[in-house]
Amino acid sequence: MARESGVEHRYVSQSNGLKSLCLFGAMLLFWPGLSRAAFQENLWGARPASLAGAFTALADDANAPVYNPAGISLTTNNEITLMYARLYSGLKLYAGDNDTSRLGLGFFSYVPQIAEKRFGSYGFSWTNFTATNLYREDTFSLTVADSYQFDQLSVRPILSYGANVKLLRRSFSTDVRTDQDAVFQNGRDSTAFTFDVGLIAQPRFSLLPGLKIGMAAQNVTEPDIGLASTDRVPARYSFGLAYEDRRFRYFNPAIDVSRRRGRTLVSAAWEGWVAGDTLALRLGGNADQLAGGIGYRFRLSRQVTVGLDYSIQWPFNVEGTDGTHRVSITTNF
């Protein structure tokens, strides 16, 4: 896919199968700079998506594994988050004959608190992209992270570090017209392993006590996920700055600079909490899209807090869509 924060969709080689060709043709119409690469979607979780992905330094919850694995060391409770998204609502993609294909995202992440973090922090996550009747991508990740506080320094800065080990799997749906395509002679699915690494520094300067600096490298090995030919998942590198101060919860800005396949993308965002950390308002944007969203937190019991998050993205490079809507539910316990 052409755009980094869009679907940046997926390589399907030319074949005699109308089903694959219909999707590929539709993608060419909607994403003119189509690149042949899988696993391009990077906006997982409604909260980070409403910030246009400016989350490398801000990562501090169960969304962290897919942005910066170091961030899970900043969580303070057991946390589970689930997200669903319908991409580019209002658009219809046809999968041959009279079948239509819907583009959807699913995301699950669990960050437990084990032995009071004496052995670090751990997380498990799963992401899914589906073009119904056509194509599917799944990523399964194990995240390990820890933090070190420099007590010998007066301001006691904190450095968090983490890594993901990931299994990537892609699969195609075929029919009688595509079963014989040379692309699928060795199977309709493929898998590969890769890893991510990340850092978050909190220098705790007296003038900027809430400053956070984040760095992450994703899909470092650029694994080959192709079927009949090489199709490497591109590495992505990001650097972010964010500011979070408990005294100024209504002003939490963030900026990310990311690079993938020779393209640099700058994303800026703002998150503000009001009504006693109950309601969050969010805005974000970059060269590909404008984003926004809200979040609501409430206490279900003394030990359990539930968060509901909603985001919408308006792409600049896709016409005829009502945008992409994401909904997340997060539980802390």
Side-chain angles (χ1 to χ4, degrees):
M1 301 349 62
R3 297 295 186 178
E4 185 164 353
S5 58
V7 174
E8 292 184 298
H9 213 25
R10 328 284 179 201
Y11 168 61
V12 181
S13 72
Q14 291 185 348
S15 70
N16 296 325
L18 294 178
K19 190 174 185 181
S20 297
L21 288 174
C22 286
L23 177 65
F24 189 59
M27 293 297 179
L28 284 173
L29 290 175
F30 295 129
W31 296 280
L34 193 65
S35 63
R36 297 189 303 174
F39 295 90
Q40 295 278 18
E41 176 59 47
N42 68 317
L43 291 180
W44 306 100
R47 180 192 175 203
S50 64
L51 301 171
F55 206 65
T56 303
L58 203 57
D60 59 1
D61 58 19
N63 295 301
V66 286
Y67 292 91
N68 188 339
I72 69 168
S73 68
L74 304 179
T75 61
T76 56
N77 298 293
N78 299 296
E79 189 166 317
I80 296 175
T81 189
L82 294 147
M83 184 212 75
Y84 174 76
R86 173 84 177 271
L87 296 182
Y88 305 115
S89 61
L91 291 181
K92 287 187 177 180
L93 299 178
Y94 292 93
D97 296 331
N98 295 319
D99 293 335
T100 58
S101 182
R102 295 185 301 275
L103 306 180
L105 301 176
F107 171 53
F108 166 81
S109 180
Y110 173 45
V111 180
Q113 299 300 311
I114 301 175
E116 298 180 351
K117 297 188 178 182
R118 284 178 293 178
F119 304 102
S121 299
Y122 302 88
F124 309 91
S125 59
W126 162 77
T127 65
N128 166 258
F129 167 84
T130 301
T132 56
N133 304 314
L134 289 168
Y135 181 77
R136 178 184 178 109
E137 293 177 355
D138 293 279
T139 301
F140 303 91
S141 302
L142 170 64
T143 307
V144 180
D146 206 350
S147 292
Y148 180 79
Q149 187 165 36
F150 295 83
D151 293 327
Q152 64 272 30
L153 301 178
S154 59
V155 294
R156 303 180 67 191
I158 298 173
L159 178 66
S160 301
Y161 45 91
N164 293 327
V165 177
K166 304 196 300 187
L167 170 66
L168 312 180
R169 183 180 186 274
R170 74 190 304 197
S171 60
F172 294 84
S173 300
T174 61
D175 56 20
V176 295
R177 291 168 297 187
T178 52
D179 282 339
Q180 302 307 311
D181 193 299
V183 172
F184 305 116
Q185 291 309 295
N186 295 322
R188 297 178 302 168
D189 56 72
S190 60
T191 59
F193 285 94
T194 188
F195 67 93
D196 308 332
V197 294
L199 295 171
I200 296 178
Q202 299 176 73
R204 295 187 168 185
F205 298 135
S206 57
L207 293 178
L208 295 170
L211 178 65
K212 297 173 67 179
I213 305 168
M215 291 176 285
Q218 298 172 311
N219 303 317
V220 174
T221 61
E222 297 197 339
D224 179 12
I225 201 72
L227 295 177
S229 61
T230 300
D231 186 6
R232 293 197 175 276
V233 178
R236 180 177 185 267
Y237 302 95
S238 60
F239 173 83
L241 296 173
Y243 192 82
E244 286 187 298
D245 192 328
R246 296 295 301 179
R247 298 171 299 174
F248 304 104
R249 292 291 284 159
Y250 50 85
F251 181 70
N252 297 304
I255 186 169
D256 266 30
V257 180
S258 63
R259 187 167 179 83
R260 177 164 51 187
R261 278 195 180 276
R263 179 174 186 254
T264 300
L265 186 70
V266 179
S267 303
W270 165 84
E271 179 181 55
W273 286 89
V274 296
D277 283 0
T278 299
L279 180 66
L281 305 176
R282 304 180 179 113
L283 289 173
N286 52 43
D288 293 338
Q289 64 182 328
L290 179 66
I294 59 174
Y296 177 65
R297 300 287 183 270
F298 63 94
R299 188 169 295 279
L300 198 63
S301 68
R302 291 186 61 184
Q303 288 80 29
V304 179
T305 301
V306 177
L308 303 174
D309 295 290
Y310 165 79
S311 71
I312 181 171
Q313 292 76 45
W314 293 277
F316 298 143
N317 58 324
V318 180
E319 297 181 355
T321 174
D322 300 325
T324 294
H325 305 263
R326 288 170 171 81
V327 177
S328 291
I329 181 169
T330 302
T331 304
N332 290 272
F333 57 96

